[in-house]
Amino acid sequence: MATGRKTRGKQQAPKDKYRAILTFDDREAGGRFVRKHPWDLVGTRLDKEGRAVLTFYLTQTQIKYLEKEGVSAEVRENVSEIGRERQKEIGSGDRFEGGKIAPRPRGLAAREER
C-alpha cells in the first residue's frame, strides 16, 4: 500500500564510461564475448588480418573485470566527460519566449517550396 511519501535514498550518479577497443582472433570469438557480456557495444569491424575489433563504452568496474579475466582492452577517452563538455555548448534560455513564438517544424519549408 502506497503511503504517498517519497523515498529519501541517495541517488547515485551514473558512472563514467570510457571508449574501449577489444580485438579478438575471429568473428566467432567476438560473438561469444558479446553474448557473454551484453555491454554497450557501439561498433564492430574486421581488421586486415580478419580479426574482430569491437568498440564498447565501459565503466571502470567493467574494465577491471576484463583485466581480471585476462582480456586486454585499449581504453581511450572518457565519453561521459566529452558529453558533459558538449552539454555546456548548448544554449540556455527560452527561444520560444514563454510561448509567444510557436516552433516551426523542419519539414514545413520543404513542403512550401513545391
Side-chain angles (χ1 to χ4, degrees):
M1 179 160 75
T3 61
R5 288 186 286 167
K6 293 183 180 180
T7 306
R8 292 191 177 211
K10 291 184 179 180
Q11 294 249 345
Q12 291 183 347
K15 296 180 180 180
D16 279 6
K17 293 204 174 188
Y18 297 81
R19 185 165 62 110
I21 300 170
L22 284 69
T23 303
F24 297 91
D25 292 334
D26 54 32
R27 291 172 52 173
E28 289 76 23
R32 283 191 300 274
F33 181 85
V34 170
R35 285 188 294 278
K36 183 177 178 184
H37 306 287
W39 294 336
D40 290 336
L41 177 65
V42 295
T44 63
R45 67 178 175 88
L46 292 176
D47 66 7
K48 294 177 184 176
E49 290 81 30
R51 296 178 299 185
V53 179
L54 308 178
T55 303
F56 288 89
Y57 287 161
L58 302 177
T59 63
Q60 285 291 343
T61 304
Q62 292 168 324
I63 293 167
K64 288 177 185 176
Y65 173 80
L66 289 177
E67 291 171 357
K68 287 180 184 177
E69 294 290 313
V71 177
S72 127
E74 180 184 340
V75 180
R76 300 255 179 110
E77 69 273 3
N78 180 337
V79 294
S80 298
E81 181 62 32
I82 292 170
R84 286 189 290 272
E85 289 299 316
R86 295 290 186 263
Q87 286 176 340
K88 291 176 185 176
E89 297 171 6
I90 297 172
S92 60
D94 184 3
R95 67 179 191 205
F96 301 116
E97 297 180 15
K100 294 177 187 172
I101 299 174
R104 284 194 60 184
R106 294 180 187 207
L108 187 61
R111 281 185 259 146
E112 289 175 353
E113 290 177 6
R114 290 184 186 174

